[in-house]
Amino acid sequence: MASTNRSSTPSSRDSKSKKEGQGAAARLGSEDDFVRVESLPRQDGDYDPLPPSGTLERIEAEKRLVRKLDMRVLPTIVLIFIMNYIDRNGITTARLKGMEQDLGISDVQYNTVIAILFVSYCPAQVPSNMILNYISRPSLYIGICVVAWGVTSALTGITKDYGGILACRIFIGLPEAAFYPGAVYLLSRWYTKKELAFRSAILYAGLLISNAFGALMAAGILSNMEGVRGIRAWRWLFFIEGAITVFIGLHSMWLLPDYPHNTRWISADERRLAQARLSEDAGEADKDNAEDSPMKGLKMAVKDVKVWIFAVMTVAQLLGLSFVQFFPTLTQTLGFSTTVSLLLAAPPWIVASAICCLNAWHADKTGERFFHIAGWWWGVILGFIISLSTASVAARYVSMFFMACGYVGFAMTLVWVSNALPRPPAKRAAAIGIVNGMGNLGNLIGSYTWKSEWGPGYHQSMAISLAALVFSTALAVVIRVMLIRENKKMDDDDKAIMEGANRERIEAAAQLEGITVQEALERRRKYRNLY
């Protein structure tokens, strides 16, 4: 039976290397309270050491694992996210076909209906991510939440008045809170920091595609279902979209993974490899220790100033991008019919979806974060300036492409949070929940900044959004400077590298890789923040 400690396995290391490693480990044990562990408990039974990192065998094994994950996980979460935003924004297209008149709601009440979702959606994200980190079957948790919001969305179609639709919007926000921050956190438990941006972008492309596909679906339903079985077309919109979501949610319960240590549709060797590659990525095992409870993770996140800067930055960013809730209304201001307006709403989001994936792919290749996020906000600012400067229909439609591409940057915001706050998972889960939960207050505020009396130009709305994006850019600069300083501190001070490091997670990383704790410590020394 092979030992998990590489120094005791048949290898090419000579006795001199062993003695040097033991001496270094002993020194670290006295200085930093880290000791070398000769024997650690097994996981998944007996196993041989993994192929060394960087070897052809290891690279091929990781490629097979990532390919298996990509083929199963990514299509599932993209489908869910498409339906997430179609269900959430169905109300914006239903408005074009008489919903306000049938329910007897005013313009101010409509804005409240848009905003009220975020009253439940925002605060629920933190406890939801804490639950997700605590339970062992996230596939069931997320799947149940998808079914719940699909049912609630369908029930929106039977509402009779303002109070009914308000109640539906409140209750759809609760299960929806589990998905996006939960999906990003789940991806961070499987993909390394150099893989996460691209996968998260594919996930977020589901949102962007939903704006295109949702508009096309709505155009078909609203133009062909009016009066079918005596039911208004906007009600059919909610019935059909909700039913599709329920169907996808039921299937996601077995398609989605759980965590690397307990997912049943990969082998024991693949489970170990999945854990080892994340350990190598950050120099520590991606696991919570016994004392890392969800509440402790929340406290750690609350005490980290970067979390709050990220959160305020996201509030400003989403306020600047809040036009998404009114995009069909903006395309209607170009002067075309309802069906043509909905068709015109699709191309900007299709372009944004493609750019989103390309941007994230390049971000993973380079390891750069700031310009791949903030640079796209500047494109939105340019779009606002074009729209504010001219009444030309063609120019205003081009500006909508710039505006849609602003979400390319937002697609990587939670990835940056995950990269900047990698361990322990309990802290990362809480931080993602705080940033996205608090950040969506920007959408809530934005619900009231696109008033119908400011149309068709919406100059005041665009001015508010422009200012918000400038402020979010300034905060992104602050985060970048903080991370650069932390990296410089690690470059200059060897002990600074071990600040926040955890002995148990480093020992677990050594076990997973089949190496000495000293070798794991050396890997930890190579860790740097992405900025």
Side-chain angles (χ1 to χ4, degrees), residues 91 99-100 102-106 109-110 112-113 116-117 152 155-156 158-172 234-235:
I91 194 169
M99 183 193 71
E100 284 180 297
D102 287 356
L103 299 181
I105 60 178
S106 66
Q109 287 176 325
Y110 173 79
T112 302
V113 168
I116 200 70
L117 177 142
T152 309
L155 290 175
T156 307
I158 65 172
T159 53
K160 302 296 183 182
D161 53 27
Y162 174 61
I165 197 167
L166 207 63
C168 286
R169 294 288 288 180
I170 292 172
F171 285 105
I172 201 173
W234 69 265
R235 295 187 185 275

Side-chain angles (χ1 to χ4, degrees), residues 17 44 71 150 394 429:
S17 298
D44 296 320
M71 294 297 290

Side-chain angles (χ1 to χ4, degrees), residues 144-157:
I144 289 169
C145 288
V146 174
V147 171
W149 90 58
V151 170
T152 309
S153 177
L155 290 175
T156 307

Side-chain angles (χ1 to χ4, degrees), residues 452-474:
S452 59
E453 59 262 32
W454 288 351
Y458 291 101
H459 291 177
Q460 299 94 324
S461 307
M462 292 182 186
I464 293 170
S465 296
L466 191 155
L469 290 174
V470 171
F471 181 56
S472 63
T473 298

